[in-house]
Amino acid sequence: MSSQKSSSVPRWDITPVQQMIASCSGAIITSLFVTPLDVVKIRLQAQRNPFPKGKCFVYCNGLMDHICVCENGISKAWYKAPGHFKGTLDAFIKIIRMEGIRSLWSGLPPTLVMAVPATVIYFTCYDQLCAVLKLRMGDRSDYAPLLAGAIARVGSATVISPLELIRTKMQSEKQSYRELSAVIQSALHNQGWRSLWRGWGPTLLRDVPFSAMYWFNYEKGKAWLCQYYNFTDPTFAITFTAGALSGSFASIVTLPFDVVKTKRQVELGELIICVVSTQVSSSTYYVMKRIVAENGVSGLFAGFLPRLIKVAPACAIMISTYEFGKAFFRRYNQKKQRVTVKHAFLRY
């Protein structure tokens, strides 16, 4: 009964702009909480195997994976700072003590330029699509989140993919905008428009199934928890729990695609900066085949625990802060509407 009440709250009482503000706030808060985990992970990796010039690595701010290109050996880049860490907790303590707490967010600002707009597009499109699909699908409206999540992810990935490619090129070669424009025009002339969406396929292969499963399970889990605890509207704890559980499940199921996508992202980054031969296969199938040949089937499930530790809190923080923001604007709109009605009544 209570879950029906929860779903009956009209979506259109939140404007698209308010959805954008809520998702933007959630994106920034998520990145502030999750980025330190990845910074520490990268520092530990660099300690074990120092990154040579031109080497690419994946940097995750909790919202998106970004390719970062290592600079030359005399660079004072944050990932090359000296440190002797015995483990994750030791790294946290020593980085804060020796370099200051701000070092835990090293490299974050440039990635937010891409990640925040991508998150805003994704979440706003999802809510708008889900509302429309629920009205049109009738008895099958339970599947609206699944379809809306998949479509919203395709849209955001399609918009951001060329920008991420350009960002990687700019970072690797320190080009001016005029020089970069010439490079892009040359690529378009020689390879066509599709060259701007290199790496788009493997991104969708991981992110679309993840998004579809995540939103379907999140909406189901949220409704079930509301019903179980007899709440009309979901609380922060309910959205946090539903987000963490649905994110964990989706991340486990899509882990092989994540392994392939990460490997292809790194190869693509090194291909862009001409560090590796252009003979590297761009086929997802061959990358998967190569991983199995080198490491066995278990190689497709490498990094299971680190991915789970990263994805679960990121999903939980993002969705709970987003829902909190929407609830705030819903109350604000309702209060504003009541005041407007009251003034209209007094006027007449």
Side-chain angles (χ1 to χ4, degrees):
M1 182 71 180
S2 57
S3 63
Q4 289 175 346
K5 288 179 183 177
S6 178
S7 62
S8 67
V9 176
R11 290 267 181 174
W12 49 85
D13 62 352
I14 304 290
T15 67
V17 172
Q18 289 172 335
Q19 288 172 342
M20 289 179 181
I21 295 170
S23 56
C24 181
S25 303
I28 293 169
I29 291 168
T30 302
S31 65
L32 291 176
F33 274 98
V34 178
T35 296
L37 297 172
D38 214 57
V39 168
V40 168
K41 183 199 78 175
I42 291 166
R43 291 289 296 273
L44 288 168
Q45 286 177 343
Q47 178 178 276
R48 288 192 296 270
N49 301 297
F51 298 143
K53 179 184 177 182
K55 177 69 178 174
C56 289
F57 63 91
V58 177
Y59 177 100
C60 178
N61 54 24
L63 305 170
M64 273 181 70
D65 291 339
H66 299 270
I67 284 292
C68 290
V69 185
C70 295
E71 299 168 7
N72 58 46
I74 60 171
S75 171
K76 294 182 179 179
W78 61 269
Y79 47 81
K80 292 190 176 183
H84 302 284
F85 311 126
K86 297 175 183 176
T88 302
L89 184 60
D90 184 56
F92 266 109
I93 294 168
K94 285 183 177 175
I95 289 171
I96 293 170
R97 187 182 298 163
M98 306 294 291
E99 303 169 32
I101 195 166
R102 288 177 61 185
S103 297
L104 292 175
W105 290 274
S106 299
L108 177 61
T111 66
L112 289 181
V113 174
M114 219 86 61
V116 172
T119 305
V120 169
I121 293 168
Y122 174 49
F123 275 79
T124 306
C125 285
Y126 167 78
D127 259 345
Q128 295 292 316
L129 282 168
C130 196
V132 172
L133 289 171
K134 279 187 175 181
L135 291 172
R136 291 176 176 269
M137 292 176 73
D139 294 339
R140 298 183 180 180
S141 61
D142 283 354
Y143 295 99
L146 188 147
L147 192 57
I151 296 170
R153 179 55 77 185
V154 171
S156 63
T158 302
V159 170
I160 293 299
S161 188
L163 301 177
E164 180 66 10
L165 206 68
I166 291 167
R167 187 195 66 83
T168 304
K169 190 78 176 172
M170 283 187 72
Q171 186 202 2
S172 64
E173 299 183 11
K174 305 292 186 205
Q175 293 175 324
S176 67
Y177 285 103
R178 183 175 295 178
E179 291 170 328
L180 185 66
S181 176
V183 170
I184 293 169
Q185 286 175 6
S186 174
L188 290 176
H189 178 73
N190 295 325
Q191 301 169 35
W193 283 96
R194 290 180 62 185
S195 63
L196 292 179
W197 278 270
R198 293 166 88 176
W200 179 74
T203 298
L204 294 188
L205 196 62
R206 180 196 71 172
D207 290 355
V208 171
F210 179 95
S211 295
M213 283 185 283
Y214 170 77
W215 284 111
F216 180 76
N217 290 318
Y218 168 72
E219 297 289 1
K220 285 284 187 184
K222 182 176 69 172
W224 184 85
L225 287 169
C226 283
Q227 189 173 27
Y228 183 82
Y229 289 105
N230 199 28
F231 285 127
T232 303
D233 296 312
T235 63
F236 185 88
I238 284 175
T239 57
F240 189 94
T241 304
L245 292 175
S246 56
S248 298
F249 175 77
S251 69
I252 292 167
V253 174
T254 58
L255 182 60
F257 298 128
D258 180 65
V259 172
V260 172
K261 188 237 181 188
T262 301
K263 194 169 186 68
R264 282 205 54 195
Q265 253 191 320
V266 171
E267 287 182 353
L268 181 60
E270 294 175 349
L271 183 64
I272 289 170
I273 59 174
C274 303
V275 174
V276 297
S277 167
T278 54
Q279 298 301 310
V280 173
S281 171
S282 60
S283 164
T284 300
Y285 171 73
Y286 282 109
V287 172
M288 193 175 283
K289 196 174 176 181
R290 195 164 76 240
I291 291 170
V292 172
E294 292 173 0
N295 306 301
V297 176
S298 61
L300 293 174
F301 295 89
F304 165 77
L305 196 57
R307 176 160 164 77
L308 198 61
I309 291 170
K310 178 175 67 178
V311 171
C315 288
I317 295 166
M318 180 63 217
I319 195 63
S320 55
T321 50
Y322 178 56
E323 293 279 20
F324 181 84
K326 288 200 299 179
F328 168 81
F329 282 119
R330 186 172 288 119
R331 289 192 300 268
Y332 171 80
N333 290 348
Q334 289 170 349
K335 185 178 178 181
K336 188 177 178 182
Q337 189 177 19
R338 281 197 297 267
V339 171
T340 303
V341 171
K342 185 179 178 181
H343 285 169
F345 179 77
L346 291 172
R347 187 179 300 168
Y348 292 102

